Amino acid sequence: MKVILLSELRGKGGEGDIVDVAQGYAENYLFPQRIAIAATKGNIKQLEERRHNIAKREEQRIADAEATKAALEGKSVTVEAKVGEEGQLFGSVTTAMIADAVKDQLGIEIDRKRIERTANIKTAGVHKVNVNLYREITATLEVTVGDAEWFAAQAAAAEAEVAEAAEEAAEEVEVEVEEIVVEEAAE
């Protein structure tokens, strides 16, 4: 059955597109939700008259999606979750939790349904998630997951690593100074 989409339908098309769908899907979901109308001759004629307005709205949606992508791309948010032994979470991080973290920390409101995870987030650490903003416009976001203890342990480990690197550098400088002193004494 051919229908005219009144709004974006993921995987099918955007507003004003004429697409083929199953009749039951159209009658039981698309029509009652006002996502589409039947592609009759009269409706197609009305669509042709509205093409200019649809194109303007489409440009605005794309511009908004690009602006949101620029604001999200490469950013990082932190999600608090209870961490058990060996970095395993008690439960998993949901898309709603990520959407709330983005809203609270970055001030950008995104629909949780637009957040795409390749797998469930069940471990503490840094995870990358994609946010499908509009059609092919997608932003990548880093989500850091953990609780206060886990973050403190990570900070302590990083601090110890920096201290160890500084100590090694100091030892190297000390060895080089001793070699220079020995060379100067030999001359």
Side-chain angles (χ1 to χ4, degrees):
M1 172 177 209
K2 293 210 180 279
V3 296
I4 300 171
L5 296 178
L6 300 177
S7 63
E8 180 188 12
L9 182 61
R10 203 172 193 188
K12 293 288 185 185
E15 181 182 8
D17 291 347
I18 299 174
V19 296
D20 236 346
V21 296
Q23 185 172 351
Y25 181 56
E27 291 174 356
N28 296 322
Y29 179 71
L30 297 178
F31 296 162
Q33 298 290 325
R34 301 205 189 289
I35 295 172
I37 57 174
T40 62
K41 287 183 181 182
N43 287 340
I44 291 173
K45 187 176 260 188
Q46 284 181 343
L47 173 67
E48 294 305 322
E49 293 171 4
R50 295 186 351 214
R51 283 277 186 210
H52 180 68
N53 292 338
I54 291 171
K56 276 184 168 177
R57 283 194 297 270
E58 182 73 10
E59 287 175 16
Q60 183 62 42
R61 287 183 192 120
I62 290 172
D64 291 346
E66 289 290 348
T68 304
K69 177 181 179 175
L72 284 177
E73 194 70 41
K75 295 288 193 304
S76 180
V77 294
T78 303
V79 175
E80 291 279 330
K82 187 92 171 125
V83 179
E85 293 196 20
E86 297 182 22
Q88 291 294 316
L89 299 181
F90 293 107
S92 64
V93 175
T94 64
T95 55
M97 293 167 76
I98 296 170
D100 290 342
V102 169
K103 183 179 179 187
D104 293 344
Q105 296 169 28
L106 301 178
I108 301 169
E109 193 158 334
I110 55 174
D111 184 4
R112 68 177 177 79
K113 295 174 187 167
R114 297 211 172 265
I115 298 173
E116 187 180 280
R117 297 175 304 171
T118 54
N120 287 335
I121 299 174
K122 293 186 175 193
T123 58
V126 178
H127 303 273
K128 292 201 183 286
V129 295
N130 291 327
V131 181
N132 294 326
L133 299 169
Y134 186 71
R135 294 197 182 194
E136 290 86 32
I137 302 172
T138 303
T140 302
L141 183 68
E142 278 190 356
V143 179
T144 306
V145 181
D147 59 10
E149 283 182 26
W150 186 83
F151 287 121
Q154 293 299 311
E159 198 173 289
E161 195 173 295
V162 168
E164 186 178 315
E167 192 175 299
E168 287 177 12
E171 287 176 7
E172 287 179 22
V173 169
E174 192 175 300
V175 168
E176 288 178 18
V177 169
E178 286 178 7
E179 288 175 359
I180 292 173
V181 170
V182 169
E183 287 177 8
E184 289 180 2
E187 293 177 2

